[in-house]
Amino acid sequence: MHETQVHKLTILYTANLRGDLQVLPRLYTYLQKLKSETENPVLLLDLGHSCVADVWHCDVTEGRSTLVVLDGMGYHAANVADFLEASQRDKLRNSMTTGMVDVHHSWRYHVPPVRDETIIISAIETPALSLCIVAAPATKTQFNSRTLWLQGVDKGQVGFVEINVPALKIYSHAILDIPSGLKVDATIAAAVEFVEEEAQFLRKNQS
């Protein structure tokens, strides 16, 4: 049973970060700006490919590196289907608040203080009492019955969608480029540095 029901909702989302840790401190600054400009509850998602095997820190951490920073940035859910092994999911499960979704695992809306279990975030279309948000890139942003699909974005972009959940209606949506010259958030920059140092340690031990 859900504790309350979400009505208007703003969704901010990213995809295809591809292990670029250096963009994250500026991205965080931009996300905070966008959040401050809406009166709606905000749901923050990553649609996948936050890590890729040909990036050194993704390789040595087995996909954990970018995901750990996204967790520190307050992401509510992230699609990990393409890079995170089950063993790594188990290691992260008790230390992360970000919901890790893939074809076998979904995440029910819980953005404190609101928990609405009628809203499901999943990597694939999944039956839901009120709404399924598919955390995977689609060709365009649209509702199909109780499923919301989100248009894909590239690294350096943020997807923005405002919806009415009970009415299954999109008020507005846009693909926004991260502005140049944004201030680097010091806390996220420190998190990036920590993750890189851990990855360097792991790489040294593996060599």
Side-chain angles (χ1 to χ4, degrees), residues 91-148:
K91 289 180 181 179
L92 291 172
R93 186 169 49 194
N94 295 325
S95 61
M96 282 184 42
T97 58
T98 302
M100 295 174 284
V101 304
D102 55 29
V103 294
H104 302 295
H105 303 86
S106 57
W107 179 81
R108 294 182 184 273
Y109 185 97
H110 183 201
V111 180
V114 177
R115 181 191 296 271
D116 187 341
E117 296 198 352
T118 71
I119 300 174
I120 293 176
I121 289 78
S122 180
I124 57 175
E125 188 171 8
T126 303
L129 288 176
S130 64
L131 174 64
C132 171
I133 302 171
V134 179
T139 55
K140 65 179 182 178
T141 296
Q142 63 178 349
F143 273 109
N144 181 3
S145 186
R146 293 180 181 176
T147 300
L148 177 65

Side-chain angles (χ1 to χ4, degrees), residues 143-198:
F143 273 109
N144 181 3
S145 186
R146 293 180 181 176
T147 300
L148 177 65
W149 301 89
L150 300 171
Q151 182 179 342
V153 296
D154 292 324
K155 182 178 69 174
Q157 295 180 321
V158 174
F160 174 91
V161 185
E162 289 184 308
I163 63 171
N164 183 307
V165 175
L168 300 176
K169 176 181 179 182
I170 297 173
Y171 290 125
S172 64
H173 64 93
I175 305 298
L176 307 171
D177 293 326
I178 301 174
S180 60
L182 283 177
K183 181 180 179 181
V184 170
D185 183 86
T187 301
I188 301 307
V192 167
E193 183 177 356
F194 175 81
V195 165
E196 288 179 329
E197 288 175 354
E198 181 194 28

Side-chain angles (χ1 to χ4, degrees), residues 39-120:
E39 297 179 355
N40 302 332
V42 173
L43 180 64
L44 185 53
L45 304 176
D46 186 79
L47 307 190
H49 293 287
S50 66
C51 251
V52 288
D54 59 353
V55 173
W56 73 272
H57 59 78
C58 292
D59 181 39
V60 298
T61 65
E62 299 181 82
R64 298 193 311 272
S65 51
T66 308
L67 190 59
V68 167
V69 183
L70 295 184
D71 184 59
M73 292 169 66
Y75 274 71
H76 298 115
N79 186 339
V80 301
D82 55 333
F83 63 88
L84 196 69
E85 298 293 335
S87 60
Q88 297 305 314
R89 165 188 283 278
D90 290 339
K91 289 180 181 179
L92 291 172
R93 186 169 49 194
N94 295 325
S95 61
M96 282 184 42
T97 58
T98 302
M100 295 174 284
V101 304
D102 55 29
V103 294
H104 302 295
H105 303 86
S106 57
W107 179 81
R108 294 182 184 273
Y109 185 97
H110 183 201
V111 180
V114 177
R115 181 191 296 271
D116 187 341
E117 296 198 352
T118 71
I119 300 174
I120 293 176

